[in-house]
Amino acid sequence: MSAMKKCIVISDSFKGTLSSLEICGIARQSIPKFFPDCKVVDLPVADGGEGTVECFIQALQAQPVTVEAAGPYGEPVQAIYCRSGKRAVIEMASTAGLPMVEGRLNPEKTTTYGVGQLIAHAVKYGCTEVLLGLGGSCTNDGGCGCAAALGTRFFRENGEEFVPTGGDLSQIAHVSTAETKERLAGVKITVMCDVDNPLHGPRGAAPVFGPQKGADGAMVERLDAGLRHLDGVIRQDLGLEIGTLPGAGAAGGMGAGSVAFLGAELKPGIEAVLDMMDFARHLKTADLVITGEGRIDGQSVHGKVISGIARRTRPKNVPLIAIVGGIGPGAEEAYELGVTAIFGTDRPATDSRQYPEPASVYYQHTLEDILRLIQAVSRR
């Protein structure tokens, strides 16, 4: 590398100690110290939960949009999503997030209706591409509330129309998505989904995620039965087999509902993020990519951000450096995926809660050591 002209920084957060936005900030400050002529492209990433919209606002210079929408129990809340041209990024957590129901958890009553209102707002204002993050939900309604806000109609056996929540999914006799298809014609919806759970059964939405949303054993059984019933109605009226689809059980069945009612595509979070951020275009002229996460080991190496980025840098022969909080056994497998080198920031090798200095200081020290080495080599 004779001279580094362009560096992409795209790192996951170090959970609980350092956000992706902070990491990008450190890189913008440190890289010019050693390479004044280097263009730094910082692309903060998030997994679809809280903070996803904030990352895209910075990465795409997207416009934040505040909308009054229905909260978890139908109460009005101020929710924020962002738009960039005809693209919109929405996080489910902004209207149906778990922190919003602290002290009043009840996944039989909570709704995703507000999520649908945000999608409707984005489409109304010209968006033809929507990226939806599913992380951190408090719901178990199979995405029915979201779909209802976009025109999907749910009927009881007596013909009465209603908006189902987790507790009354078993009352759905028929469903019609005709109006939703019309409203979303020409709109591509991509859902960030990093779990492979089916809709129902032992690994389904209710047994796996229900307890953290406030469901006891009896409620889990009721919720699971409701999702199983919903699966049957979707098969009967829409002709779709989505119950065993990997990711169908994400966010209380929102994965299934997004596919069945909205015609969405489920994608691993990092793949959806890289596509939305036009990573391939940035990569064409990059000399180096810096990524990372809080810890890397044999179990995590095939996971989210690092492996997803390596799949794209390796074919282009662009060096990929991973700066991580801690390095565990098996981390060397990352080299086979296309990672060039791994560096840990955990200098004293202690629990992060016992750091004598903030995580940001250790990250900056590690990054600058790497830059010193690159600078020295490039001068030869």
Side-chain angles (χ1 to χ4, degrees):
M1 190 183 298
S2 58
M4 187 162 68
K5 296 296 184 182
K6 181 178 175 181
C7 176
I8 300 173
V9 181
I10 179 167
S11 175
D12 201 355
S13 64
F14 289 17
K15 295 293 186 288
T17 59
L18 199 56
S19 73
S20 183
L21 285 166
E22 289 175 310
I23 287 170
C24 288
I26 294 169
R28 286 197 307 272
Q29 176 186 352
S30 293
I31 293 173
K33 292 182 185 177
F34 302 90
F35 297 93
D37 298 327
C38 180
K39 179 182 179 181
V40 180
V41 177
D42 53 297
L43 302 175
V45 295
D47 60 6
E50 189 175 357
T52 298
V53 166
E54 185 181 7
C55 284
F56 276 95
I57 288 173
Q58 176 166 320
L60 299 179
Q61 286 75 56
Q63 172 194 2
V65 181
T66 302
V67 180
E68 185 176 285
Y73 291 105
E75 73 282 16
V77 298
Q78 297 296 309
I80 297 176
Y81 75 94
C82 67
R83 293 198 303 254
S84 176
K86 293 190 174 183
R87 299 180 294 180
V89 180
I90 296 170
E91 57 188 55
M92 183 180 181
S94 64
T95 65
L98 200 54
M100 300 175 77
V101 294
E102 189 173 349
R104 52 188 185 125
L105 299 171
N106 189 344
E108 287 190 309
K109 299 295 184 183
T110 48
T111 181
T112 57
Y113 196 88
V115 182
Q117 289 178 307
L118 296 184
I119 296 174
H121 190 276
V123 172
K124 178 182 177 181
Y125 285 89
C127 291
T128 56
E129 186 177 351
V130 176
L131 179 61
L132 175 62
L134 297 191
S137 84
C138 64
T139 54
N140 202 94
D141 70 352
C144 290
C146 173
L150 288 161
T152 296
R153 304 177 70 189
F154 297 91
F155 301 93
R156 292 188 170 95
E157 197 65 57
N158 63 3
E160 178 188 4
E161 187 173 349
F162 74 118
V163 178
T165 58
D168 51 19
L169 294 177
S170 296
Q171 296 179 29
I172 303 173
H174 296 287
V175 58
S176 170
T177 59
E179 184 180 333
T180 303
K181 286 182 178 179
E182 185 178 334
R183 292 178 66 173
L184 296 180
V187 178
K188 177 185 177 184
I189 298 179
T190 304
V191 175
M192 298 170 65
C193 180
D194 285 319
V195 301
D196 61 0
N197 303 75
L199 182 58
H200 49 77
R203 293 189 60 250
V208 175
F209 305 111
Q212 71 191 46
K213 302 176 185 185
D216 59 17
M219 186 185 290
V220 164
E221 289 187 13
R222 295 195 299 272
L223 292 170
D224 188 56
L227 291 171
R228 189 180 301 274
H229 177 83
L230 176 65
D231 184 18
V233 174
I234 290 171
R235 188 182 308 114
Q236 163 196 289
D237 287 358
L238 305 181
L240 298 173
E241 295 281 351
I242 48 85
T244 58
L245 179 72
M254 184 73 169
S258 298
V259 173
F261 306 133
L262 312 184
E265 178 186 5
L266 303 184
K267 266 190 178 182
I270 186 58
E271 298 299 332
V273 166
L274 293 175
D275 288 344
M276 180 69 88
M277 291 182 172
D278 206 3
F279 184 73
R281 177 176 61 84
H282 291 300
L283 189 61
K284 284 181 180 178
T285 53
D287 296 306
L288 175 68
V289 177
I290 296 175
T291 187
E293 60 186 35
R295 174 181 167 82
I296 187 170
D297 56 27
Q299 289 185 327
S300 65
V301 74
H302 297 286
K304 301 178 184 178
V305 172
I306 292 178
S307 59
I309 293 170
R311 281 193 292 271
R312 306 223 179 177
T313 57
R314 187 174 194 172
K316 303 298 182 183
N317 293 315
V318 178
L320 176 63
I321 290 176
I323 302 178
V324 300
I327 303 173
E332 61 277 1
E333 293 179 35
Y335 299 132
E336 298 174 17
L337 298 178
V339 176
T340 306
I342 304 171
F343 297 86
T345 67
D346 192 356
R347 294 187 169 209
T350 59
D351 188 295
S352 61
R353 289 167 294 186
Q354 301 172 15
Y355 280 176
E357 294 185 86
S360 58
V361 173
Y362 291 119
Y363 186 94
Q364 184 171 6
H365 286 331
T366 304
L367 173 60
E368 293 191 1
D369 281 346
I370 295 167
L371 294 169
R372 290 176 198 280
L373 176 60
I374 295 173
Q375 183 186 56
V377 172
S378 67
R379 284 173 174 170
R380 292 179 62 85

